[in-house]
Amino acid sequence: NIFRFVHISTDEVYGSLGMKGSFTEVSSYDPRSPYSASKAASDHFVKAYYHTYGLPILITNCSNNYGPWQFPEKLIPVVIASCLNNKVIPIYGNGKNIRDWLYVGDHINALIKISKINDYGSSYNIGGGVELTNIQIVRRICKIMDALIPNKKKYSSLIKFVKDRKSHDFRYSVNIDKIQKKINYKPSY
């Protein structure tokens, strides 16, 4: 009676957005890369177990996470490490790709709350409600580093735009109305 299978997925399964709007839990899946297609497939696989065998599943689709112990190849750790080592800060394309940033602690709190409900077969979007371009994130980190560890020149001088990734979606944004109403979720950071 207490078992639940909480499947943690990504907003990338929905595809890419223009400048307006946000994905909801009923948005169509439209993955644009092999990674996002594999995540969409796993969502469908989990839902199939719910429909076929009654497995008590809940699916979450979250926005970009950040926080302690983040994998070093992700944007924020790359920027910090580049500053600390006085190396080039690579930014894909023109840096204008937009992401909704979610603090990992907020994500964990939402997952704990979701794991206690019995709305089996449902999906929930988890977002931070803060949309920033990649270049905005990088410049903010550079400014913080300038204040914390002053260098001969500004850390922003290390920024270098590099060839964009294939199938690099322009914008992700998730609507969190459902999770706010169902479990009183609100990001703290």
Side-chain angles (χ1 to χ4, degrees), residues 100-151:
D100 174 13
W101 291 92
L102 171 63
Y103 180 65
V104 68
D106 286 331
H107 189 187
I108 291 166
N109 289 336
L111 291 172
I112 290 168
K113 286 182 176 184
I114 286 171
S115 73
K116 295 176 181 178
I117 63 175
N118 60 3
D119 189 18
Y120 306 134
S122 294
S123 296
Y124 291 89
N125 288 336
I126 306 172
V130 178
E131 290 185 38
L132 296 167
T133 64
N134 290 343
I135 191 66
Q136 286 174 312
I137 289 285
V138 171
R139 288 198 170 121
R140 285 184 183 196
I141 294 169
C142 287
K143 191 173 181 178
I144 291 167
M145 295 299 288
D146 286 336
L148 292 176
I149 308 170
N151 202 353

Side-chain angles (χ1 to χ4, degrees), residues 15-167:
S16 187
L17 285 170
M19 289 302 292
K20 294 185 179 182
S22 296
F23 294 119
T24 68
E25 289 81 359
V26 296
S27 293
S28 297
Y29 278 28
D30 189 20
R32 305 292 179 99
S33 69
Y35 168 78
S36 59
S38 72
K39 293 298 282 186
S42 69
D43 291 6
H44 294 311
F45 191 70
V46 169
K47 283 182 185 179
Y49 263 83
Y50 167 73
H51 290 294
T52 305
Y53 301 108
L55 187 71
I57 64 104
L58 296 151
I59 296 175
T60 65
N61 298 92
C62 70
S63 58
N64 280 40
N65 279 224
Y66 71 94
W69 305 103
Q70 188 169 26
F71 194 70
E73 77 171 12
K74 298 299 183 181
L75 178 64
I76 292 172
V78 164
V79 175
I80 294 168
S82 294
C83 290
L84 291 172
N85 295 300
N86 205 31
K87 293 191 174 184
V88 167
I89 301 169
I91 300 179
Y92 289 122
N94 60 13
K96 294 184 180 177
N97 298 73
I98 301 168
R99 300 293 180 260
D100 174 13
W101 291 92
L102 171 63
Y103 180 65
V104 68
D106 286 331
H107 189 187
I108 291 166
N109 289 336
L111 291 172
I112 290 168
K113 286 182 176 184
I114 286 171
S115 73
K116 295 176 181 178
I117 63 175
N118 60 3
D119 189 18
Y120 306 134
S122 294
S123 296
Y124 291 89
N125 288 336
I126 306 172
V130 178
E131 290 185 38
L132 296 167
T133 64
N134 290 343
I135 191 66
Q136 286 174 312
I137 289 285
V138 171
R139 288 198 170 121
R140 285 184 183 196
I141 294 169
C142 287
K143 191 173 181 178
I144 291 167
M145 295 299 288
D146 286 336
L148 292 176
I149 308 170
N151 202 353
K152 291 177 186 174
K153 55 185 179 177
K154 301 273 186 198
Y155 287 104
S156 59
S157 68
L158 298 171
I159 294 171
K160 181 181 179 189
F161 295 96
V162 297
K163 184 179 177 183
D164 208 351
R165 293 184 302 168
K166 290 184 180 198
S167 300

